[in-house]
Amino acid sequence: MFRSYPPQIVLEAVLNGLLTGAVYALVALGLTLVYGVLHIINFAHGAMLTLAMFAVLVAHLGFGIDPYLAILPLTPLFFAFGYGLQRFVISPASRNDDGAILLVTLGLSIVLENLLLAVFRSDTRALTLDYSFSVVDLGFALLSLPRVIGFGVAIVVAAGLWAILALTDTGKAIRAVAKEKLGAYLVGIDVNHIYAVTFGLGAATLAVAACLLMPSFYVNPRVGNAFVLVAFTVVVLGGMGSIAGALLGGLVIGVVESLSGLYLGESLGQIGIFLIFILVLLVRPTGLFGARA
């Protein structure tokens, strides 16, 4: 089953894995941020990514907007969508009960998927762009241009998210709520507003991830499920609620998937991801950056 490859091929696989892993990390960032603050798993995360990918498709086919330029309108639009979803749907429907929140997000996932099925049918669609198959020649390796752009943007977004959390008053309030909800409430922080802002930030990162994925990936109403399974693995590997962990976890998972695909075949590439998932649960359930209870 295993074949040997020249070092150049292996190096190229590792580099392409890092590029793919950065986008995986971006998908996982919203998931881990929501978990870190609201302490819930957002089961609608995959459906929201799918919605964002269809938004990129409509922006390009309907208005001629390049997927990368679509980052500018879609990021604030999805922040507002996520904010409103948490403030006016999830919170009232769940009455802030954690168990009910899980059921509400699961219900939202089903609703979004079926709405997309009703509007776009089950057809698989992809964008045809001049640069979709362009490559960057490093001399010792050929890298996909959309993946190189995706890597750069994902790193910038992760750094921006870290800066928001570390340097702004809103970020400090988010960290205070994540650390001690009751204490934050007693010092005057609007906890419900912070919950909604956090959900909005998670949705905004998904919008950016969708813009980075569409130049080289397809979309159908259920495509988000494949990404969210990988995102869960990234979050568990990096440590639930850890931004740095999600970034490192995404890069590791990208490399593992790429090398698994090289040595086991493209159809078996994701086996390595789930082996990592099981291994982390057995050896270090808190993940690389997770705090021990």
Side-chain angles (χ1 to χ4, degrees):
M1 176 180 293
F2 290 97
R3 291 169 288 183
S4 62
Y5 291 96
Q8 181 181 354
I9 300 294
V10 177
L11 175 62
E12 197 168 283
V14 170
L15 292 175
N16 276 297
L18 287 173
L19 301 182
T20 304
V23 180
Y24 286 163
L26 197 55
V27 176
L29 275 178
L31 194 65
T32 201
L33 182 63
V34 169
Y35 178 84
V37 179
L38 278 71
H39 305 297
I40 59 142
I41 294 174
N42 175 21
F43 284 113
H45 199 71
M48 290 167 66
L49 175 64
T50 309
L51 181 66
M53 293 174 77
F54 271 109
V56 178
L57 184 78
V58 170
H60 181 73
L61 297 182
F63 303 97
I65 301 175
D66 185 88
Y68 296 129
L69 293 178
I71 290 175
L72 298 176
L74 289 184
T75 301
L77 188 64
F78 268 75
F79 173 83
F81 171 70
Y83 185 98
L85 202 60
Q86 162 61 25
R87 193 69 189 261
F88 304 114
V89 178
I90 295 175
S91 181
S94 64
R95 300 179 188 278
N96 290 324
D97 176 77
D98 288 352
I101 291 176
L102 294 178
L103 293 177
V104 171
T105 59
L106 183 60
L108 274 173
S109 172
I110 296 170
V111 168
L112 287 175
E113 279 189 7
N114 282 280
L115 281 175
L116 291 171
L117 271 171
V119 175
F120 296 100
R121 307 300 178 188
S122 59
D123 300 339
T124 294
R125 304 154 194 257
L127 295 180
T128 303
L129 302 163
D130 293 338
Y131 53 79
S132 289
F133 299 101
S134 298
V135 296
V136 176
D137 188 353
L138 297 180
F140 55 89
L142 295 175
L143 304 177
S144 163
L145 177 61
R147 290 185 181 183
V148 171
I149 295 173
F151 179 86
V153 175
I155 296 298
V156 169
V157 171
L161 190 57
W162 172 85
I164 289 173
L165 294 176
L167 305 176
T168 68
D169 290 340
T170 300
K172 291 171 185 174
I174 290 174
R175 288 189 287 129
V177 172
K179 195 81 173 179
E180 178 52 61
K181 173 184 171 183
L182 180 59
Y185 175 78
L186 291 175
V187 298
I189 294 175
D190 185 343
V191 173
N192 288 329
H193 170 68
I194 292 300
Y195 278 177
V197 169
T198 304
F199 217 86
L201 287 173
T205 58
L206 283 180
V208 179
C211 293
L212 300 181
L213 284 169
M214 282 306 292
S216 59
F217 210 77
Y218 64 86
V219 62
N220 63 48
R222 299 193 187 281
V223 73
N225 294 329
F227 283 101
V228 86
L229 283 175
V230 175
F232 274 125
T233 308
V234 169
V235 170
V236 170
L237 175 61
M240 304 288 279
S242 169
I243 301 295
L247 186 57
L248 181 61
L251 297 177
V252 170
I253 291 299
V255 172
V256 168
E257 182 187 43
S258 182
L259 290 178
S260 298
L262 179 66
Y263 285 104
L264 301 178
E266 198 65 36
S267 60
L268 298 177
Q270 290 204 327
I271 282 182
I273 294 177
F274 297 108
L275 288 177
I276 289 284
F277 183 74
I278 294 170
L279 190 64
V280 171
L281 289 178
L282 288 174
V283 177
R284 189 176 169 82
T286 57
L288 298 175
F289 287 80
R292 291 186 181 278

